[in-house]
Amino acid sequence: MNHRIKTLSNYIHHYEKSIQDPEAFWGEIASIFQWKKPWKKILSWNFEGPDIKWFDGAQLNITENIFERLLPTHAEKTAILWEPNNPNDKSQKITYQELFHLTCQFSNVLESHGVKKGDRVIIYMPMIPEAAIAMLACARVGAIHSVVFAGFSATALADRINDCKAKMVLTADGNYRGAKNIPVKAVVDEALEKAPSVKKVIVCQRTGETVIMIPDRDIWWHDVMEGQSNQHAAVSMDAEDSLFILYTSGSTGKPKGVVHSTAGYMVYTYYSFLNVFQYNPTDIYWCTADIGWITGHSYIIYGPLLAGATSVMFEGVPTYPHPGRFWEIIDKFKINQFYTAPTAIRALQAYGLDPITPYSLASLTVIGSVGEPINEEAWHWYHTNIGKGKCPLVDTWWQTETGGIMISPLAGITPNKPAHASLPLPGIQPVIVDAEGNELKGNNVEGNLCIAFPWPSIIRTTYGDHKRCKETYFSTYPGMYFTGDGAKRDHDGYFRILGRVDDVINVSGHRMGTAEVENAINEHPKVIESAVVGYPHDIKGQGIYAFVICESSDDIAKLSEEIKDTVRKIIGPIAKPDVVQIVPGLPKTRSGKIMRRILRKVASQDLSNMGDTSTLLNPEVVEEIIKGAQKN
Ligand code: WT7
């Protein structure tokens, strides 16, 4: 069986095979890789633990499957095509051979500074090639990387370092983001005051600004790379050894460290990349995500490189120095597959068609969307004006926890239906259940989206707290993985994702727990209590609306700004509330639970039917909140 799907009937055939005999199906795909030791059992699992093992008994190194496996045929091919923030600066082409040598050199650096298999290393870096090299070198020496998005605050960074007790941080002096230059090293310095496990910081020079280098702790990337051998013998990893931790928000508590293991993740990101984007050997592929998110891990770095692709990495932002930057880059590199987020599409849509007209976009063959539901208007705008009506649009639904794309059209193969993630990839068994967990079979059903069977890149645990993994994903509907999303299966059997059904909001494609934002707001000395909800936002998808009870309400405007600033400092700019409304009280049930349903309605200015408020402890407060919202 050739594992590259080419037609719709091909897809149906592969899908059926993957359900009837999952082990044979994935075993065949896995056989293309280099294994240092073969597996004993392709899959053993239960969702009660959960305890899931793919390719158990096997040994491998994921970077050998990028380099040693591909170099005989790909040495001179460009692996990473890097575009700097400033279009007047030089872009960079790094071939597979060069990337291999740099990865080996940095692997030697890591080992010479005491990094061993199983150690945790934090990567807090701009979108520069060294970030990719850092990830690959960690994987090569068997260290578990945890990339933290470089827009997170010092507190958020310290929390993540402390949770996984990392011993090293890889960072840069500064981070160019559009017209801004963010001093990332200074953020690391502040974080490390509260994170004692870190013994070494390696700093890559990017902006050349002055930074404080602490003796014995901080070392320059270019200094330690000098004289290192460009050969390195990859460390043997067990199939189920952890490859990385990536922190993500949930409905309760602090962000949790989603743990992915080596072999299954490798097989699935490779397979899904190839089939969803229909990548051909000479194509240039560009995913605009940041490596701080799972999309960057799976579809800038691992999936494309395992498939021998040329993967574009962009340092900047879509609107700098002008709102046609994305389209300019597409023409400059003759991009074939372009993968971005609905929030970027909506933001660029707001500039009209003028920024697009100077560019032909003729090289595009596939366009993709990820991170949140894409509304029909944005879908059509993207399809018509960027895809010129001829490029298949892949609306890819997946999650940090799923490791790879789960439900998506395969480009040019699955008939497109606007705003529908469409059909599951081979190996993926989605089910829709009602609130009691009964499966809703057949078409034209709507409910909660679960997955009934393991796939190779499924989350293995949440770092340091396996119970939390079980409770969050495997306990709501025993025997199934619960996604937290609502979904509909239409009359054609196509899936449409309806958004989160828990207290998680999706702001510009970033996942945010409302509890996490509330905890940050409550740090402000004048705040007594707060409740955060999402509301529809034209560009961000959802905006953040905070209802806050304060000790005094003298200068409301000043207080609101201070509260927003508190959240920015504690989590980062992406979590800053769009609206802060100071309220005299919050609607609560007699058992003391905040009735968020009411707050969501107020925040979305949907006052038509407030539902039953008679069970509230304090119904009078609803009137006052509505009055206050109208003034806001
Ligand atoms: C949540 C996962 C997976 C990469 C980026 C986000 C939402 C993601 C889609 C889509 C509708 C989507 C879901 C999901 N989501 N892609 N194509 N259509 N919703 O990863 O931060 O783990 O967030 O993003 O609600 O649960 P994440």
Side-chain angles (χ1 to χ4, degrees):
M1 184 182 81
N2 184 334
H3 57 255
R4 172 70 180 271
I5 297 167
K6 295 201 175 73
T7 61
L8 190 57
S9 61
N10 224 205
Y11 160 74
I12 295 165
H13 174 73
H14 282 230
Y15 188 79
E16 279 168 1
K17 181 164 181 206
S18 77
I19 304 304
Q20 280 154 12
D21 194 348
E23 294 192 56
F25 179 82
W26 290 112
E28 236 173 277
I29 295 161
S31 68
I32 68 145
F33 290 106
Q34 275 185 12
W35 302 86
K36 287 165 168 303
K37 214 176 126 191
W39 57 78
K40 292 207 180 80
K41 177 97 180 93
I42 292 178
L43 170 65
S44 47
W45 68 287
N46 68 70
F47 277 172
E48 286 75 54
D51 184 11
I52 305 150
K53 293 193 178 81
W54 281 94
F55 309 107
D56 200 27
Q59 286 190 341
L60 73 156
N61 187 289
I62 194 168
T63 70
E64 280 189 344
N65 283 289
I66 295 172
F67 299 120
E68 279 86 340
R69 185 177 72 91
L70 294 176
L71 282 175
T73 46
H74 286 65
E76 299 312 317
K77 183 172 175 177
T78 302
I80 292 177
L81 189 49
W82 178 75
E83 171 72 6
N85 180 58
N86 182 338
N88 300 322
D89 291 346
K90 259 185 79 167
S91 52
Q92 260 184 51
K93 271 186 188 170
I94 304 173
T95 64
Y96 273 83
Q97 183 73 59
E98 289 163 341
L99 188 61
F100 173 58
H101 285 158
L102 290 161
T103 300
C104 286
Q105 275 182 292
F106 200 66
S107 300
N108 289 321
V109 167
L110 291 175
E111 285 181 346
S112 66
H113 286 92
V115 175
K116 294 184 304 294
K117 179 173 170 175
D119 287 344
R120 277 79 58 213
V121 173
I122 296 281
I123 299 175
Y124 186 76
M125 290 180 83
M127 284 291 286
I128 53 179
E130 286 81 357
I133 295 162
M135 290 167 73
L136 294 168
C138 284
R140 196 156 176 98
V141 305
I144 303 169
H145 60 69
S146 185
V147 184
V148 177
F149 173 59
F152 275 120
S153 70
T155 310
L157 175 59
D159 284 348
R160 286 157 177 77
I161 297 172
N162 289 331
D163 187 78
C164 71
K165 298 187 185 56
K167 73 166 172 204
M168 190 183 267
V169 174
L170 309 176
T171 189
D173 48 0
N175 183 5
Y176 290 131
R177 299 282 295 160
K180 287 188 232 150
N181 175 1
I182 300 155
V184 272
K185 172 61 166 62
V187 180
V188 171
D189 291 340
E190 191 188 332
L192 294 193
E193 286 171 20
K194 292 169 282 182
S197 60
V198 172
K199 304 296 175 225
K200 280 271 176 283
V201 180
I202 302 183
V203 189
C204 182
Q205 199 168 41
R206 169 64 187 123
T207 58
E209 69 200 271
T210 314
V211 293
I212 299 164
M213 296 292 277
I214 299 196
D216 298 329
R217 192 196 72 181
D218 301 350
I219 43 189
W220 286 106
W221 182 290
H222 54 266
D223 284 345
V224 286
M225 280 290 263
E226 214 179 282
Q228 292 289 352
S229 158
N230 62 13
Q231 298 297 311
H232 174 273
V235 170
S236 273
M237 303 295 284
D238 288 340
E240 280 299 327
D241 276 342
S242 304
L243 176 64
F244 65 85
I245 305 169
L246 187 59
Y247 285 86
T248 190
S249 297
S251 50
T252 53
K254 287 203 183 237
K256 44 188 175 286
V258 172
V259 177
H260 281 290
S261 64
T262 306
Y265 178 83
M266 171 180 80
V267 170
Y268 196 77
T269 52
Y270 158 81
Y271 176 78
S272 52
F273 170 75
L274 208 60
N275 282 299
V276 169
F277 297 101
Q278 291 290 303
Y279 183 83
N280 296 303
T282 56
D283 288 346
I284 312 284
Y285 160 88
W286 181 21
C287 164
T288 69
D290 191 283
I291 48 144
W293 314 116
I294 190 70
T295 310
H297 285 60
S298 302
Y299 298 111
I300 296 179
I301 309 293
Y302 290 111
L305 296 182
L306 286 161
T310 296
S311 181
V312 172
M313 193 172 174
F314 175 43
E315 185 183 34
V317 298
T319 48
Y320 180 83
H322 57 80
R325 186 74 193 278
F326 271 4
W327 325 130
E328 182 180 71
I329 297 173
I330 290 174
D331 274 12
K332 174 175 176 182
F333 292 133
K334 304 211 166 24
I335 306 279
N336 303 105
Q337 292 89 357
F338 175 68
Y339 189 27
T340 196
T343 186
I345 296 162
R346 288 190 301 262
L348 295 172
Q349 185 181 356
Y351 289 92
L353 297 178
D354 286 353
I356 309 173
T357 16
Y359 308 105
S360 88
L361 306 181
S363 55
L364 288 176
T365 55
V366 177
I367 54 176
S369 169
V370 61
E372 55 179 308
I374 178 164
N375 49 307
E376 278 178 53
E377 197 200 339
W379 195 100
H380 285 292
W381 187 88
Y382 190 29
H383 187 251
T384 306
N385 298 301
I386 307 306
K388 307 294 181 197
K390 69 173 174 45
C391 296
L393 195 169
V394 292
D395 175 6
T396 64
W397 173 83
W398 57 298
Q399 309 177 296
T400 303
E401 296 86 344
T402 69
I405 297 169
M406 302 286 281
I407 303 181
S408 169
L410 306 181
I413 291 170
T414 317
N416 260 172
K417 188 183 270 196
H420 284 70
S422 303
L423 299 174
L425 263 64
I428 308 305
Q429 303 188 24
V431 289
I432 294 180
V433 301
D434 65 16
E436 282 74 49
N438 305 307
E439 183 177 348
L440 303 173
K441 294 202 168 124
N443 291 342
N444 274 322
V445 291
E446 188 177 317
N448 295 336
L449 180 63
C450 294
I451 316 287
F453 193 84
W455 61 100
S457 62
I458 186 174
I459 179 176
R460 298 303 197 272
T461 190
T462 45
Y463 191 81
D465 193 351
H466 195 61
K467 204 168 134 240
R468 190 163 177 206
C469 174
K470 180 188 167 98
E471 277 165 10
T472 313
Y473 307 106
F474 299 94
S475 300
T476 318
Y477 303 112
M480 282 185 270
Y481 167 83
F482 176 45
T483 65
D485 280 316
K488 186 175 153 179
R489 192 166 44 227
D490 76 0
H491 52 273
D492 290 326
Y494 273 44
F495 285 86
R496 179 171 194 158
I497 309 299
L498 303 169
R500 302 290 304 196
V501 294
D502 51 10
D503 287 326
V504 168
I505 52 182
N506 192 322
V507 184
S508 302
H510 301 305
R511 204 208 283 199
M512 209 86 63
T514 52
E516 207 184 327
V517 183
E518 288 161 9
N519 290 342
I521 291 175
N522 299 348
E523 291 289 311
H524 187 285
K526 291 220 172 92
V527 169
I528 296 170
E529 198 182 359
S530 62
V532 165
V533 297
Y535 70 97
H537 187 288
D538 282 349
I539 294 195
K540 299 182 184 184
Q542 279 188 299
I544 305 178
Y545 198 122
F547 297 89
V548 188
I549 311 175
C550 287
E551 264 169 27
S552 73
S553 46
D554 308 340
D555 190 345
I556 287 183
K558 182 162 163 268
L559 203 53
S560 303
E561 281 315 304
E562 278 176 24
I563 289 169
K564 288 182 188 176
D565 208 47
T566 306
V567 179
R568 189 183 56 76
K569 279 202 193 108
I570 293 178
I571 307 177
I574 52 175
K576 198 172 111 176
D578 297 275
V579 183
V580 171
Q581 183 185 341
I582 312 290
V583 293
L586 292 165
K588 291 201 175 162
T589 62
R590 284 176 211 281
S591 58
K593 246 186 99 187
I594 297 171
M595 242 204 215
R596 283 167 194 279
R597 178 175 58 78
I598 291 175
L599 297 177
R600 276 194 280 266
K601 285 200 150 251
V602 176
S604 6
Q605 295 177 332
D606 169 19
L607 304 177
S608 52
N609 173 18
M610 291 306 272
D612 184 13
T613 53
S614 64
T615 55
L616 285 179
L617 196 63
N618 49 353
E620 71 290 346
V621 91
V622 177
E623 244 355 84
E624 292 192 57
I625 292 177
I626 293 173
K627 260 193 250 146
Q630 280 154 351
K631 266 191 265 150
N632 236 339

